[in-house]
Amino acid sequence: MDSQKSNLDSNTGRWFLITILIVALVFVARYLVISSIFVWNWQNPALHSALEAIGGMIAVTMAALLYQLSQGKAETKFSLLAIAFLGMGLLDIFHSLLPPGQSFVFLHSLAVFIGGVFFSLVWLNRIFKERLLSESGWPFFIAGGGATTIFVWGVFFPEAVPLMVSAGKFTSFAVILNFIGGITFLLGGAAFALDFLRFRKKDDYLFFFLAIMFGLAGILFKYSSLWNGEWWLWHFIRLGAYLIVLTFVVKNYRLATASLRQFSSQLEKEKEKLAESEKKFKLLTDFSPDCIKLIDKNRKIVYMNPGGLKEHNFKNLDEAIGWDFVDSIVDEQKEAAMGAFKSCLTEGKTISMDVNHKHGTADREWCNFSITPIKDDGQITGVLAISRDISKQKKAEEETKNRAEELERMNKLMTGREMININLKKEIEVLRQAQGKS
């Protein structure tokens, strides 16, 4: 349950003071109903059944809401509370259906015991800090099935139920069950009080308050008897505590569902934006003449656009998936291509190089191959590679190179011819000079 943090930092003492005052009022009311002035005994099974049934239905409702609100949470606290309320609620409903007797008191006492034990298990959430119960519903089916089994057992085998009432008084076993339930309720309440002091959440305070009321009712159970004033007092106090907490749980549930609807609406909008982005990306890649591909860290293709499939003679994407991109590169460049790919993964930088394809592996002889790392949460998960056809450019470069070499060769030939002519002229001149002298 995600309740909003209230501005309780300066009012924490006031909330605990309110609890103390309420507890004091409870003890004043108890004193009045047990004093000689107000001693009374009112046997009204119909009203009692109504109170217990209402309280039980409230508890079951709270169990369902808490179960829903606990889904997806890392903590176990509210799952344990859901089991506690489910067990208490069903047993109290079954209790309301029975006439006064051993099973009648047994179911009520067991409800207090089970509720207190599961309230106290909230301490496990503080100790282990992680979810201890599965998000599946099996713990709740066990709780519901167990409560129903005990009810059926008490109805059909009443002689097997422990003695709970004797001579109009509750037996030691009945008192012990309620006392343990009361103590464990108080233990659970202490855990909620600490959570309230730490997180300042009202739901923690309200469950603390509920645990205090139920804990006192369990501990002081031994001083009451069927139909007397104190017995009725605790019934009304329990029901009142249920109603207060239920009001807040329902409010929190409505806030949570409203937030969920808002989140779902935002998620739908984000999905629409994502779909639009994917559509645009598909348009860009589908109509691009370049070879665009996604490559995993093992150099295997995981996606290739239609332009790339056409270049490498693949009929469809399934044929391309798992292909090692270096298989299309000539042997002389494979090592350099693998080194560039490794550097892209380890150094996280974009690398570009010109690659020459093997004959038959691509319809382009030369490509400019650019690889960029793909990151997810800061971790490199693969590579985006874009290859652009530069065959014409390479051919033009080759022709330019060949032309330059041809010119150089011609230049050398011309230069050599001129040198020969100069040397011949010199030799002729020398011969002329020699003839003139003779």
Side-chain angles (χ1 to χ4, degrees), residues 366 389-397:
W366 283 90
D389 185 8
I390 57 169
S391 299
K392 291 181 179 180
Q393 178 184 333
K394 283 290 185 180
K395 185 176 180 181
E397 289 177 359

Side-chain angles (χ1 to χ4, degrees), residues 90-149:
L90 290 175
L91 289 172
D92 280 340
I93 290 172
F94 296 147
H95 162 70
S96 72
L97 300 175
L98 296 176
Q102 305 301 330
S103 296
F104 174 84
V105 178
F106 177 66
L107 291 182
H108 169 77
S109 302
L110 194 60
V112 175
F113 176 80
I114 290 175
V117 168
F118 276 96
F119 255 73
S120 67
L121 290 178
V122 170
W123 279 99
L124 295 177
N125 185 74
R126 295 180 59 83
I127 295 171
F128 293 103
K129 304 296 183 185
E130 71 265 358
R131 191 177 184 92
L132 301 176
L133 290 176
S134 167
E135 288 191 31
S136 64
W138 68 262
F140 304 94
F141 285 116
I142 292 176
T148 304
T149 301

